[in-house]
Amino acid sequence: MLMAGESGRIAAPRSDASAASLHGEINKKLGISVPVIIADTFGRPWREGLTEVAVGVAGMQVFRDFRNRSDAHGYRLKATLEALADELACAAGLVCE
């Protein structure tokens, strides 16, 4: 949370392009496709604490789409998009110090 007199910084405006560049270089040097996620810390004004969020992604689908599928009880899902890249960014945040 920013306090009076403090300033913040907006994430890199070309983070998807940066992720794509890294993805391409890794693919070129190693000959394999490795997904790249550029993450940043995200504070939520309605909750205490910080989490990670994906601000740039290349080499993977950002969402997992469950719309028009059925859940375990047979209910048709209408709006479920799982933010897969954000979840992976959070998982990485757990192991980074």
Side-chain angles (χ1 to χ4, degrees):
M1 170 187 283
L2 295 177
M3 304 308 257
E6 295 180 338
S7 63
R9 183 172 163 226
I10 297 174
R14 295 181 35 86
S15 51
D16 278 334
S18 295
S21 177
L22 285 168
H23 180 260
E25 286 297 315
I26 292 169
N27 193 350
K28 189 168 101 177
K29 290 185 188 224
L30 300 178
I32 57 173
S33 179
V34 177
V36 173
I37 299 173
I38 296 175
D40 198 2
T41 304
F42 176 69
R44 302 159 298 166
W46 60 93
R47 295 186 79 166
E48 290 185 27
L50 300 170
T51 189
E52 301 297 318
V53 63
V55 296
V57 179
M60 65 172 285
Q61 294 294 317
V62 176
F63 297 111
R64 196 168 355 177
D65 190 353
F66 291 101
R67 293 175 293 185
N68 295 319
R69 294 185 186 179
S70 297
D71 68 8
H73 303 285
Y75 293 104
R76 187 62 119 191
L77 301 173
K78 296 179 181 176
T80 304
L81 277 175
E82 185 178 47
L84 186 58
D86 290 330
E87 290 177 340
L88 291 170
C90 288
L94 291 172
V95 297
C96 294
E97 195 171 309

